[in-house]
């Protein structure tokens, strides 16, 4: 009888530990954009185009904010890009953007071109529920990202 109680206590403790450690694996609350990663899910209320060529997925647009400094980088659909960003309150600006120059399917190239040309015009951001990032231009164009890290 005592052995059953001890076993029950041990199992209960293990279960509690498992549940509590599962909760801590959730993404931490964001104090700032540093060390976060995002995937673009909506651009000007238009669904994004993506396709597979072999095992490579094209059209997925990502945005990563570096751990140190003020470097933003990611995949723009076909190419990779990098640049600087500055945050001041709810304002954000991207500058010095460069990207690789690979070619791909026309529809994805057009989407990538629009994205890379809108980034320098972003001037504000908002984080919603710790998992959605909205970047907005001065004339109201909105990019919506979901958090991946």
């Amino acid at each position: 009888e005592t052995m059953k109680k001890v076993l029950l206590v041990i199992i209960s403790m293990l279960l509690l530990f498992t549940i509590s450690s599962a909760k801590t694996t959730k993404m931490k609350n964001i104090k700032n954009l540093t060390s976060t990663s995002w995937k673009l899910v909506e651009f000007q209320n238009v669904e994004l185009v993506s396709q597979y060529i072999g095992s490579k997925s094209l059209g997925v647009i990502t945005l990563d904010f570096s751990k140190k400094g003020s470097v933003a980088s990611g995949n723009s659909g076909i190419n990779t890009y990098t640049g600087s960003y500055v945050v001041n309150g709810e304002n954000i600006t991207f500058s010095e953007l460069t990207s690789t120059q690979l070619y791909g399917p026309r529809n994805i190239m057009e989407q990538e071109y629009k994205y890379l040309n809108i980034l320098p015009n972003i001037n504000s951001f908002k984080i919603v529920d710790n998992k959605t990032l909205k970047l907005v231009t001065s004339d109201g164009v909105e990019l919506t990202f979901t958090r991946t890290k």
Side-chain angles (χ1 to χ4, degrees), residues 17-141:
F17 177 74
T18 305
I19 291 168
S20 67
S21 66
K23 285 182 181 176
T24 59
T25 59
K26 282 185 178 177
M27 289 184 252
K28 295 176 185 168
N29 282 344
I30 301 172
K31 291 184 182 76
N32 55 44
L33 293 170
T34 306
S35 297
T36 61
S37 297
W38 308 85
K39 177 183 169 186
L40 186 64
V41 291
E42 196 176 291
F43 180 17
Q44 293 179 301
N45 298 320
V46 176
E47 197 171 313
L48 295 163
V49 180
S50 64
Q51 69 186 65
Y52 283 93
I53 293 184
S55 63
K56 187 171 170 81
S57 175
L58 300 177
V60 176
I61 297 175
T62 61
L63 175 58
D64 304 313
F65 294 95
S66 66
K67 190 174 190 172
K68 292 182 181 176
S70 55
V71 177
S73 62
N75 190 306
S76 52
I78 295 168
N79 291 286
T80 56
Y81 68 96
T82 188
S84 298
Y85 75 96
V86 175
V87 171
N88 185 359
E90 291 181 358
N91 296 325
I92 186 169
T93 53
F94 294 91
S95 60
E96 301 171 22
L97 292 169
T98 61
S99 89
T100 56
Q101 299 293 308
L102 301 173
Y103 291 97
R106 183 185 180 112
N107 57 345
I108 295 176
M109 291 290 297
E110 288 171 355
Q111 178 176 279
E112 176 179 77
Y113 178 80
K114 286 179 189 173
Y115 173 74
L116 290 174
N117 282 287
I118 207 82
L119 266 187
N121 299 310
I122 298 293
N123 70 357
S124 67
F125 75 99
K126 180 169 57 173
I127 298 168
V128 182
D129 296 333
N130 207 38
K131 60 186 176 206
T132 302
L133 172 66
K134 292 190 178 280
L135 299 178
V136 186
T137 65
S138 56
D139 55 353
V141 175

